[in-house]
Amino acid sequence: MLMYEIDRNASEPVYIQIYDFIKEDIESGIIESGKKLPSKRSLAENLGVSVITVENAYAQLIAEGYIKALPKKGYYAERLPDMPVQKIKKNEISAEEYSSGNNKLSELFPFTAWAKLIREELTMKQTTLMKDPPAEGVYELRQAIADHLRSFRNMEVKPEQIIIGAGTEYLYILIRILLGDQSVIAVEEPGYSRIADIYGSLGMRCEWIPVQDDGIDVDALKNSNADVVHISPSHHFPTGVVTSVGKRYSLLGWAAEGRYIIEDDYDSEFRLSCRPIPPMFSIDVTDRVIYMNTFSKSLTPTMRISYMILPPPLLSRFRERMKSFSCPVSTFEQHTLAHFIEGGGFERHIRRLRRYCKSRRDYLMKLVSENELFRNADVSGSSAGMHCIVRFDTDLTDDELLTQVRNMELKADLLKDHYHFRPEHDLHTLVVYY
Amino acid sequence: MLMYEIDRNASEPVYIQIYDFIKEDIESGIIESGKKLPSKRSLAENLGVSVITVENAYAQLIAEGYIKALPKKGYYAERLPDMPVQKIKKNEISAEEYSSGNNKLSELFPFTAWAKLIREELTMKQTTLMKDPPAEGVYELRQAIADHLRSFRNMEVKPEQIIIGAGTEYLYILIRILLGDQSVIAVEEPGYSRIADIYGSLGMRCEWIPVQDDGIDVDALKNSNADVVHISPSHHFPTGVVTSVGKRYSLLGWAAEGRYIIEDDYDSEFRLSCRPIPPMFSIDVTDRVIYMNTFSKSLTPTMRISYMILPPPLLSRFRERMKSFSCPVSTFEQHTLAHFIEGGGFERHIRRLRRYCKSRRDYLMKLVSENELFRNADVSGSSAGMHCIVRFDTDLTDDELLTQVRNMELKADLLKDHYHFRPEHDLHTLVVYY
């Protein structure tokens, strides 16, 4: 069955989105020519849309010659006259393809498009490239990010609020400068250990707050000395927990008393199914949320481009304290990226990445369903990102478990290794990466 | 008279250097065809080399048909058969060219060469570009910088000691992390106000130490609470003072007792005449000097690439404290720059920039010698960089002086404005920028 992610907040009507997805899949060969498409009713059910919507999409595809309707038989993909070379892999991948996947994500980087864009910039925008941008970054890029967030994340952000940084660590440095060295920062337990490591290197004091099934423990947070908390409410690493709406409001309530929330939306582009939850930044009316994101996962970590969105009070503080600083990212790459986003290349690239991740997730799930070791295992957190959590029903020790799973050529590590205060008992739980 | 900067520490013999300079000037039209060259004796005197050396250079040029010797008349530039289009301007520039010079430096950026190199990298090194470099930066770039410093600055540095940063501010952040937040940093008075501003933003305490005719006041430094000093011994901004050898050793003595010297060599590539003084880093045997440089002036500030060289004890501290950090500069640009330096493009570019600065300096000096306002004025600090200091013999106030000089379409500001503790009386001294 075709699985597409419909964005109900997009400016494009849903039937156009479905039309676009199918058209692209036919052009790229994911839907082979001559193949039967699902019935209107079953696709509608699957995507959670009305039959009329699918009918409109199919009608448009018929009109443009992408599919044909055979009476009493259904809809079939047409043989396209100028079928391009099949570049994108089918959703199903082999074990060999899966285990060689480590390099694949980087191979997906759009080198050709990027080379073309950067050459254009170097030819056409020489004077602009030599101009010092403000400390916040190149305006065109901030504008492109604001537009992207509007259509992709349904966020209303002014380009003026966006600060470009050289990777997330640089943003942490800015936060340290903005909040001062007396701040105590709460981080998630378990979590990305690098976050606390970096704040620690910058001389900030950290407190570790447990993550529950619906997000960080707000009571523990209230009992701590923290005046700022760094969380990933959309998709927590490694547990995959999505912070509930109730908890989001409790957190905002906590922050309203002069504190701050850093909302780390690091893998929002990788949502594989279901509708994305709006970021906390969008429901915050008290100006206490700092939104943070990066192009490390959606493009490449080696280009070092990240950004954060500051609420107005911190924005004025930024302008005052950072007036002697320059934006640390090359104007060459800022302008090229702006161009890439504006021209639609970035969204196409994300769709490609997401399809790739989904195919790897599906392969993993198939493996899980067939393998004895995974019997009664509980898989969670697989609706987004590039990893999931598997809780095993087993008497094996964590180390034995890890060895067995790694022998299956899966990339995995122990959940307990992601704790700062590492539990002494086994959790029988692994983080498995697609 | 031809003025070339001979590098006695270069691997190339001096006569080859002279040969290269003259050949390049003939090819580019700076020395017009048919023009008489200086006599061997006078050129030798001027460059401070032996007559034999110039004779060898001229002999090579004759052998290759660049110049000819006319008996009893001297040496003349030949008419070249395939004279390339005259791209490089003659050393003499007009008033109009001078006053439109603000954009010129950026126009000199080697866009075509850069575009070619980056395309090569994007085509040939896709896997490499996607690899996370160590926190210190891409090894190839650090190797290229080490080679450049060896041939250009006579510095013996291991690539492992070099740390790549995103502009100098990023290096200041690293220094703050390496030295801890209790450090008190001494800065030069007068000096670049941004240096103290940035250290201040990072929460470091600054002390301002007067700069004397031979460098920073070491006695005042000893009486301060500073445990690290940030200086530019090769060419102080704005005074142009070069720190004397005696003072360099006093400073090293001060630092030997557990303190550090940050040697900011920001414009070492712009030495316009005389032999460059070896950096303090090279005479330091106690591992107390941190050397710092940037590509902001030699390429463009908008690309944000700088570097520092750490003595071994700080290098281990860097590896320990920065292990969670990534190098903030894009691998795309690090590899392209490495390629640019290795291929000789960077040295050619520097020669071009230097010629450009020299022509602007010469124009300024001519103006100074002809203008009544400058009568009895004392010009200093003009042997390097892109500015000089002019002390006027005048009854005009500083503001009147500035207005008059600016009316001559010169770019200038007041020396007293570069003080943190601004003197209340007039100094009758301007900083004039080429």
Side-chain angles (χ1 to χ4, degrees):
Chain A
M1 175 56 72
L2 304 175
M3 269 305 292
Y4 300 121
E5 187 184 335
I6 305 300
D7 179 0
R8 272 155 237 268
N9 298 309
S11 54
E12 279 185 341
V14 172
Y15 87 93
I16 290 289
Q17 295 183 48
I18 299 174
Y19 155 83
D20 272 339
F21 283 130
I22 296 179
K23 178 180 149 186
E24 202 176 301
D25 280 357
I26 291 175
E27 282 178 342
S28 65
I30 288 176
I31 300 177
E32 287 168 52
S33 65
K35 209 184 155 190
K36 188 172 193 290
L37 271 74
S39 73
K40 289 181 284 185
R41 181 172 307 274
S42 69
L43 184 59
E45 224 162 72
N46 222 289
L47 299 178
V49 301
S50 74
V51 176
I52 295 283
T53 302
V54 175
E55 201 164 79
N56 286 337
Y58 277 10
Q60 187 65 28
L61 288 162
I62 292 171
E64 296 186 14
Y66 283 97
I67 64 173
K68 60 182 168 194
L70 296 184
K72 312 233 164 154
K73 285 187 135 180
Y75 298 90
Y76 292 82
E78 280 280 20
R79 186 167 199 87
L80 294 183
D82 290 306
M83 195 73 160
V85 183
Q86 184 177 326
K87 276 184 190 156
I88 299 170
K89 288 269 164 73
K90 287 165 61 176
N91 259 1
E92 276 175 32
I93 59 172
S94 69
E96 196 188 351
E97 281 172 318
Y98 183 87
S99 57
S100 71
N102 279 343
N103 305 316
K104 282 273 177 61
L105 253 182
S106 62
E107 280 170 26
L108 293 177
F109 183 85
F111 283 105
T112 315
W114 195 262
K116 186 171 164 284
L117 288 179
I118 200 162
R119 200 179 54 172
E120 270 179 49
E121 299 296 311
L122 284 166
T123 313
M124 311 294 289
K125 293 204 190 144
Q126 300 192 344
T127 317
T128 313
L129 294 179
M130 294 291 119
K131 240 181 237 151
D132 280 330
E136 292 92 327
V138 165
Y139 192 83
E140 287 86 340
L141 176 57
R142 292 150 70 209
Q143 176 75 65
I145 290 172
D147 292 344
H148 167 73
L149 289 174
R150 184 174 302 110
S151 70
F152 200 80
R153 206 75 179 82
N154 200 26
M155 283 171 77
E156 272 306 324
V157 179
K158 291 202 192 81
E160 286 75 11
Q161 287 177 273
I162 299 178
I163 314 285
I164 308 294
T168 42
E169 293 105 297
Y170 188 82
L171 299 179
Y172 297 178
I173 293 171
L174 293 183
I175 282 176
R176 160 71 180 64
I177 294 174
L178 291 177
L179 302 185
D181 54 0
Q182 297 308 311
S183 301
V184 176
I185 189 156
V187 294
E188 295 161 323
E189 171 79 322
Y192 265 122
S193 60
R194 283 184 67 234
I195 294 175
D197 286 349
I198 293 168
Y199 285 122
S201 301
L202 298 172
M204 287 177 95
R205 200 146 63 80
C206 291
E207 298 215 12
W208 284 261
I209 309 291
V211 173
Q212 301 165 318
D213 284 348
D214 61 347
I216 202 165
D217 183 339
V218 179
D219 290 331
L221 183 63
K222 285 179 181 164
N223 288 328
S224 77
N225 294 309
D227 32 38
V228 50
V229 63
H230 186 121
I231 48 173
S232 42
S234 301
H235 186 241
H236 173 253
F237 178 86
T239 65
V241 160
V242 177
T243 302
S244 69
V245 174
K247 193 153 263 189
R248 285 167 190 246
Y249 282 106
S250 308
L251 283 163
L252 287 170
W254 170 84
E257 296 158 24
R259 305 190 183 94
Y260 284 102
I261 295 167
I262 299 164
E263 177 175 32
D264 190 341
D265 208 24
Y266 68 100
D267 70 351
S268 61
E269 276 87 6
F270 287 85
R271 206 142 288 109
L272 300 183
S273 42
C274 79
R275 201 135 67 91
I277 294 169
M280 291 182 66
F281 185 88
S282 296
I283 57 169
D284 167 36
V285 293
T286 56
D287 292 339
R288 312 311 298 180
V289 176
I290 300 166
Y291 176 93
M292 194 180 268
N293 209 331
T294 171
F295 292 95
S296 282
K297 292 190 190 287
S298 50
L299 275 174
T300 165
T302 62
M303 213 155 49
R304 313 306 300 150
I305 308 184
S306 58
Y307 61 94
M308 64 178 175
I309 309 172
L310 293 179
L314 284 182
L315 198 59
S316 2
R317 204 182 290 176
F318 176 91
R319 287 186 188 134
E320 181 197 313
R321 297 205 184 158
M322 302 303 291
K323 61 176 183 290
S324 302
F325 283 71
S326 306
C327 178
V329 182
S330 161
T331 55
F332 294 23
E333 296 195 336
Q334 289 194 63
H335 281 284
T336 306
L337 179 55
H339 199 151
F340 187 60
I341 298 173
E342 282 160 9
F346 183 58
E347 273 201 41
R348 276 193 298 277
H349 181 62
I350 288 174
R351 276 209 291 272
R352 215 167 143 217
L353 281 181
R354 208 149 39 177
R355 201 148 39 201
Y356 172 79
C357 287
K358 195 168 171 307
S359 70
R360 294 179 64 79
R361 183 191 67 175
D362 293 348
Y363 171 81
L364 183 70
M365 293 306 153
K366 188 159 159 274
L367 200 77
V368 164
S369 68
E370 290 165 357
N371 190 289
E372 185 56 27
L373 181 67
F374 286 85
R375 185 204 289 264
N376 294 332
D378 176 38
V379 179
S380 63
S382 68
S383 66
M386 295 179 282
H387 71 277
C388 63
I389 286 280
V390 187
R391 283 189 185 79
F392 290 84
D393 180 14
T394 179
D395 293 328
L396 296 173
T397 67
D398 274 13
D399 288 338
E400 288 165 349
L401 204 52
L402 187 59
T403 308
Q404 290 214 15
V405 167
R406 284 189 176 161
N407 282 343
M408 294 165 70
E409 307 261 340
L410 293 179
K411 221 183 138 200
D413 51 30
L414 297 176
L415 175 62
K416 70 176 178 185
D417 285 344
H418 293 280
Y419 280 80
H420 180 70
F421 300 104
R422 196 169 177 274
E424 291 197 9
H425 59 280
D426 284 343
L427 300 176
H428 307 295
T429 307
L430 298 190
V431 186
V432 183
Y433 303 88
Y434 307 148
Chain B
M1 175 55 75
L2 305 175
M3 271 303 294
Y4 300 121
E5 187 184 334
I6 306 299
D7 179 1
R8 271 155 239 269
N9 299 308
S11 55
E12 279 186 341
V14 172
Y15 87 92
I16 290 288
Q17 295 183 48
I18 299 174
Y19 154 83
D20 272 340
F21 284 129
I22 296 179
K23 180 180 146 187
E24 200 175 302
D25 280 356
I26 291 175
E27 282 178 340
S28 66
I30 288 177
I31 300 177
E32 287 169 50
S33 65
K35 209 184 155 189
K36 190 172 192 290
L37 272 75
S39 74
K40 290 180 286 186
R41 181 171 309 274
S42 69
L43 184 58
E45 225 162 69
N46 222 287
L47 300 178
V49 302
S50 74
V51 177
I52 295 283
T53 303
V54 175
E55 200 164 80
N56 287 336
Y58 277 12
Q60 188 64 29
L61 289 162
I62 292 171
E64 296 187 13
Y66 283 97
I67 65 173
K68 62 184 167 191
L70 296 183
K72 313 234 164 150
K73 285 186 138 178
Y75 299 90
Y76 291 82
E78 280 280 19
R79 186 168 199 87
L80 294 183
D82 290 305
M83 196 73 161
V85 182
Q86 185 176 324
K87 276 186 189 154
I88 300 169
K89 287 268 164 72
K90 287 164 63 177
N91 260 1
E92 277 175 32
I93 58 172
S94 68
E96 196 188 350
E97 282 172 319
Y98 183 87
S99 57
S100 70
N102 279 344
N103 305 318
K104 281 274 177 61
L105 254 183
S106 62
E107 281 171 25
L108 294 177
F109 183 85
F111 283 105
T112 315
W114 195 263
K116 186 171 165 283
L117 287 179
I118 201 160
R119 199 180 54 171
E120 271 179 47
E121 299 296 311
L122 284 167
T123 313
M124 311 293 288
K125 293 204 191 146
Q126 300 191 344
T127 317
T128 313
L129 294 179
M130 293 292 120
K131 240 182 236 151
D132 280 331
E136 293 93 328
V138 165
Y139 192 82
E140 287 85 339
L141 176 57
R142 293 150 71 209
Q143 176 75 64
I145 290 172
D147 293 345
H148 168 73
L149 289 174
R150 184 174 302 111
S151 70
F152 200 80
R153 205 74 178 85
N154 200 28
M155 282 171 77
E156 272 307 324
V157 179
K158 291 201 192 81
E160 286 75 11
Q161 288 176 273
I162 300 177
I163 314 285
I164 308 294
T168 43
E169 292 105 297
Y170 188 82
L171 299 179
Y172 297 179
I173 293 170
L174 292 183
I175 283 176
R176 160 72 179 65
I177 294 174
L178 291 177
L179 302 185
D181 54 359
Q182 297 307 311
S183 300
V184 177
I185 190 156
V187 294
E188 296 162 323
E189 171 79 324
Y192 265 122
S193 60
R194 283 184 67 235
I195 294 175
D197 286 349
I198 293 168
Y199 285 122
S201 302
L202 298 172
M204 287 177 94
R205 200 145 63 80
C206 291
E207 299 215 11
W208 284 262
I209 309 290
V211 173
Q212 301 165 317
D213 284 349
D214 60 348
I216 203 166
D217 183 340
V218 180
D219 290 331
L221 183 63
K222 285 179 181 164
N223 288 328
S224 77
N225 293 310
D227 32 38
V228 50
V229 64
H230 186 121
I231 48 173
S232 43
S234 301
H235 187 241
H236 173 253
F237 179 86
T239 66
V241 160
V242 177
T243 302
S244 70
V245 174
K247 193 153 263 188
R248 286 167 188 246
Y249 282 106
S250 307
L251 282 163
L252 288 170
W254 170 83
E257 295 158 24
R259 304 190 184 94
Y260 284 102
I261 296 167
I262 298 164
E263 178 175 31
D264 190 342
D265 208 23
Y266 68 100
D267 71 350
S268 61
E269 275 86 7
F270 287 84
R271 206 142 288 108
L272 300 183
S273 42
C274 80
R275 199 137 68 91
I277 294 170
M280 290 182 68
F281 184 88
S282 296
I283 57 168
D284 167 37
V285 293
T286 56
D287 292 339
R288 311 310 301 180
V289 176
I290 300 166
Y291 176 93
M292 193 181 268
N293 209 331
T294 172
F295 292 95
S296 282
K297 291 190 189 287
S298 50
L299 275 175
T300 165
T302 61
M303 211 153 51
R304 312 307 299 152
I305 309 185
S306 58
Y307 61 93
M308 64 177 173
I309 309 172
L310 292 180
L314 284 183
L315 198 58
S316 0
R317 205 183 287 177
F318 176 91
R319 287 186 187 134
E320 180 197 313
R321 298 205 183 158
M322 303 302 291
K323 60 177 183 291
S324 302
F325 283 71
S326 305
C327 178
V329 183
S330 160
T331 56
F332 293 23
E333 296 195 336
Q334 288 195 62
H335 281 284
T336 306
L337 179 54
H339 199 151
F340 187 61
I341 298 173
E342 281 160 10
F346 182 58
E347 272 201 43
R348 277 193 298 276
H349 180 62
I350 288 175
R351 275 209 291 273
R352 214 167 144 219
L353 281 182
R354 206 148 42 178
R355 202 148 38 203
Y356 173 78
C357 288
K358 195 169 172 307
S359 70
R360 295 180 64 79
R361 183 191 67 175
D362 293 348
Y363 171 81
L364 183 70
M365 294 304 151
K366 188 160 160 277
L367 200 77
V368 164
S369 69
E370 289 165 358
N371 190 287
E372 185 58 26
L373 180 67
F374 287 85
R375 186 205 289 264
N376 294 330
D378 177 38
V379 180
S380 63
S382 68
S383 66
M386 294 179 283
H387 70 277
C388 63
I389 286 281
V390 186
R391 283 188 185 81
F392 290 84
D393 180 14
T394 179
D395 294 326
L396 295 173
T397 66
D398 274 13
D399 288 337
E400 289 165 349
L401 204 53
L402 188 58
T403 308
Q404 290 216 14
V405 167
R406 284 189 175 161
N407 283 343
M408 295 164 69
E409 308 261 341
L410 294 178
K411 220 184 140 202
D413 52 30
L414 296 177
L415 176 62
K416 68 177 177 185
D417 285 343
H418 294 279
Y419 280 81
H420 180 71
F421 300 103
R422 196 169 177 273
E424 292 197 7
H425 59 278
D426 282 344
L427 300 175
H428 307 295
T429 308
L430 298 189
V431 186
V432 183
Y433 303 87
Y434 306 149

PDB file of all heavy atoms in Angstrom, chain B residues 285-298:
ATOM      1  N   VAL B 285      60.696  28.584  23.861  1.00  0.00           N
ATOM      2  CA  VAL B 285      61.063  27.198  24.168  1.00  0.00           C
ATOM      3  C   VAL B 285      60.326  26.696  25.408  1.00  0.00           C
ATOM      4  O   VAL B 285      60.515  25.564  25.835  1.00  0.00           O
ATOM      5  CB  VAL B 285      62.584  27.030  24.388  1.00  0.00           C
ATOM      6  CG1 VAL B 285      63.339  27.281  23.089  1.00  0.00           C
ATOM      7  CG2 VAL B 285      63.081  27.953  25.494  1.00  0.00           C
ATOM      8  N   THR B 286      59.470  27.571  25.980  1.00  0.00           N
ATOM      9  CA  THR B 286      58.806  27.169  27.223  1.00  0.00           C
ATOM     10  C   THR B 286      57.332  26.838  27.008  1.00  0.00           C
ATOM     11  O   THR B 286      56.595  26.644  27.971  1.00  0.00           O
ATOM     12  CB  THR B 286      58.920  28.298  28.272  1.00  0.00           C
ATOM     13  OG1 THR B 286      58.380  29.491  27.695  1.00  0.00           O
ATOM     14  CG2 THR B 286      60.357  28.531  28.675  1.00  0.00           C
ATOM     15  N   ASP B 287      56.911  26.777  25.751  1.00  0.00           N
ATOM     16  CA  ASP B 287      55.529  26.393  25.424  1.00  0.00           C
ATOM     17  C   ASP B 287      54.492  27.336  26.025  1.00  0.00           C
ATOM     18  O   ASP B 287      53.457  26.896  26.529  1.00  0.00           O
ATOM     19  CB  ASP B 287      55.230  24.955  25.890  1.00  0.00           C
ATOM     20  CG  ASP B 287      56.014  23.935  25.090  1.00  0.00           C
ATOM     21  OD1 ASP B 287      56.447  24.263  23.965  1.00  0.00           O
ATOM     22  OD2 ASP B 287      56.183  22.805  25.586  1.00  0.00           O
ATOM     23  N   ARG B 288      54.757  28.630  25.979  1.00  0.00           N
ATOM     24  CA  ARG B 288      53.819  29.588  26.558  1.00  0.00           C
ATOM     25  C   ARG B 288      53.164  30.483  25.503  1.00  0.00           C
ATOM     26  O   ARG B 288      52.429  31.402  25.858  1.00  0.00           O
ATOM     27  CB  ARG B 288      54.520  30.514  27.586  1.00  0.00           C
ATOM     28  CG  ARG B 288      55.387  29.850  28.639  1.00  0.00           C
ATOM     29  CD  ARG B 288      54.755  28.709  29.376  1.00  0.00           C
ATOM     30  NE  ARG B 288      53.545  29.038  30.099  1.00  0.00           N
ATOM     31  CZ  ARG B 288      52.843  28.148  30.814  1.00  0.00           C
ATOM     32  NH1 ARG B 288      53.224  26.883  30.892  1.00  0.00           N
ATOM     33  NH2 ARG B 288      51.757  28.511  31.441  1.00  0.00           N
ATOM     34  N   VAL B 289      53.453  30.248  24.208  1.00  0.00           N
ATOM     35  CA  VAL B 289      52.899  31.127  23.178  1.00  0.00           C
ATOM     36  C   VAL B 289      51.826  30.403  22.361  1.00  0.00           C
ATOM     37  O   VAL B 289      52.030  29.295  21.885  1.00  0.00           O
ATOM     38  CB  VAL B 289      53.999  31.661  22.236  1.00  0.00           C
ATOM     39  CG1 VAL B 289      53.384  32.510  21.114  1.00  0.00           C
ATOM     40  CG2 VAL B 289      55.028  32.481  23.015  1.00  0.00           C
ATOM     41  N   ILE B 290      50.675  31.060  22.243  1.00  0.00           N
ATOM     42  CA  ILE B 290      49.600  30.607  21.364  1.00  0.00           C
ATOM     43  C   ILE B 290      49.645  31.516  20.136  1.00  0.00           C
ATOM     44  O   ILE B 290      49.516  32.739  20.265  1.00  0.00           O
ATOM     45  CB  ILE B 290      48.218  30.769  22.046  1.00  0.00           C
ATOM     46  CG1 ILE B 290      48.155  29.956  23.336  1.00  0.00           C
ATOM     47  CG2 ILE B 290      47.093  30.408  21.082  1.00  0.00           C
ATOM     48  CD1 ILE B 290      46.973  30.332  24.238  1.00  0.00           C
ATOM     49  N   TYR B 291      49.881  30.933  18.966  1.00  0.00           N
ATOM     50  CA  TYR B 291      49.945  31.738  17.741  1.00  0.00           C
ATOM     51  C   TYR B 291      48.577  31.734  17.084  1.00  0.00           C
ATOM     52  O   TYR B 291      47.906  30.700  17.020  1.00  0.00           O
ATOM     53  CB  TYR B 291      50.981  31.130  16.800  1.00  0.00           C
ATOM     54  CG  TYR B 291      51.086  31.801  15.452  1.00  0.00           C
ATOM     55  CD1 TYR B 291      52.005  32.826  15.233  1.00  0.00           C
ATOM     56  CD2 TYR B 291      50.279  31.411  14.387  1.00  0.00           C
ATOM     57  CE1 TYR B 291      52.110  33.441  13.999  1.00  0.00           C
ATOM     58  CE2 TYR B 291      50.367  32.025  13.146  1.00  0.00           C
ATOM     59  CZ  TYR B 291      51.292  33.035  12.960  1.00  0.00           C
ATOM     60  OH  TYR B 291      51.389  33.641  11.730  1.00  0.00           O
ATOM     61  N   MET B 292      48.155  32.898  16.578  1.00  0.00           N
ATOM     62  CA  MET B 292      46.814  33.047  16.022  1.00  0.00           C
ATOM     63  C   MET B 292      46.876  33.789  14.690  1.00  0.00           C
ATOM     64  O   MET B 292      47.593  34.780  14.577  1.00  0.00           O
ATOM     65  CB  MET B 292      46.017  33.879  17.029  1.00  0.00           C
ATOM     66  CG  MET B 292      44.553  33.903  16.826  1.00  0.00           C
ATOM     67  SD  MET B 292      43.813  34.959  18.112  1.00  0.00           S
ATOM     68  CE  MET B 292      43.441  33.763  19.381  1.00  0.00           C
ATOM     69  N   ASN B 293      46.165  33.288  13.690  1.00  0.00           N
ATOM     70  CA  ASN B 293      46.126  33.982  12.414  1.00  0.00           C
ATOM     71  C   ASN B 293      44.777  33.726  11.735  1.00  0.00           C
ATOM     72  O   ASN B 293      43.994  32.916  12.216  1.00  0.00           O
ATOM     73  CB  ASN B 293      47.288  33.531  11.513  1.00  0.00           C
ATOM     74  CG  ASN B 293      47.724  34.621  10.555  1.00  0.00           C
ATOM     75  OD1 ASN B 293      46.931  35.467  10.153  1.00  0.00           O
ATOM     76  ND2 ASN B 293      48.993  34.609  10.180  1.00  0.00           N
ATOM     77  N   THR B 294      44.528  34.404  10.650  1.00  0.00           N
ATOM     78  CA  THR B 294      43.210  34.347  10.022  1.00  0.00           C
ATOM     79  C   THR B 294      43.318  34.495   8.518  1.00  0.00           C
ATOM     80  O   THR B 294      44.288  35.073   8.026  1.00  0.00           O
ATOM     81  CB  THR B 294      42.315  35.474  10.588  1.00  0.00           C
ATOM     82  OG1 THR B 294      41.107  35.523   9.830  1.00  0.00           O
ATOM     83  CG2 THR B 294      42.977  36.834  10.468  1.00  0.00           C
ATOM     84  N   PHE B 295      42.345  33.957   7.802  1.00  0.00           N
ATOM     85  CA  PHE B 295      42.260  34.192   6.361  1.00  0.00           C
ATOM     86  C   PHE B 295      41.310  35.347   6.047  1.00  0.00           C
ATOM     87  O   PHE B 295      40.985  35.573   4.888  1.00  0.00           O
ATOM     88  CB  PHE B 295      41.810  32.911   5.642  1.00  0.00           C
ATOM     89  CG  PHE B 295      42.838  31.814   5.698  1.00  0.00           C
ATOM     90  CD1 PHE B 295      42.786  30.839   6.671  1.00  0.00           C
ATOM     91  CD2 PHE B 295      43.879  31.794   4.786  1.00  0.00           C
ATOM     92  CE1 PHE B 295      43.746  29.839   6.742  1.00  0.00           C
ATOM     93  CE2 PHE B 295      44.850  30.799   4.849  1.00  0.00           C
ATOM     94  CZ  PHE B 295      44.790  29.823   5.827  1.00  0.00           C
ATOM     95  N   SER B 296      40.875  36.062   7.082  1.00  0.00           N
ATOM     96  CA  SER B 296      39.924  37.159   6.885  1.00  0.00           C
ATOM     97  C   SER B 296      40.510  38.260   6.029  1.00  0.00           C
ATOM     98  O   SER B 296      39.829  38.833   5.186  1.00  0.00           O
ATOM     99  CB  SER B 296      39.536  37.774   8.225  1.00  0.00           C
ATOM    100  OG  SER B 296      38.603  36.961   8.865  1.00  0.00           O
ATOM    101  N   LYS B 297      41.784  38.579   6.262  1.00  0.00           N
ATOM    102  CA  LYS B 297      42.383  39.668   5.507  1.00  0.00           C
ATOM    103  C   LYS B 297      42.972  39.154   4.199  1.00  0.00           C
ATOM    104  O   LYS B 297      42.914  39.826   3.174  1.00  0.00           O
ATOM    105  CB  LYS B 297      43.455  40.367   6.340  1.00  0.00           C
ATOM    106  CG  LYS B 297      42.816  41.127   7.491  1.00  0.00           C
ATOM    107  CD  LYS B 297      43.787  42.021   8.210  1.00  0.00           C
ATOM    108  CE  LYS B 297      43.154  42.573   9.465  1.00  0.00           C
ATOM    109  NZ  LYS B 297      42.134  43.594   9.221  1.00  0.00           N
ATOM    110  N   SER B 298      43.528  37.961   4.222  1.00  0.00           N
ATOM    111  CA  SER B 298      44.200  37.476   3.018  1.00  0.00           C
ATOM    112  C   SER B 298      43.219  36.863   2.019  1.00  0.00           C
ATOM    113  O   SER B 298      43.540  36.762   0.835  1.00  0.00           O
ATOM    114  CB  SER B 298      45.275  36.468   3.394  1.00  0.00           C
ATOM    115  OG  SER B 298      44.760  35.478   4.260  1.00  0.00           O
TER     116      SER B 298
END
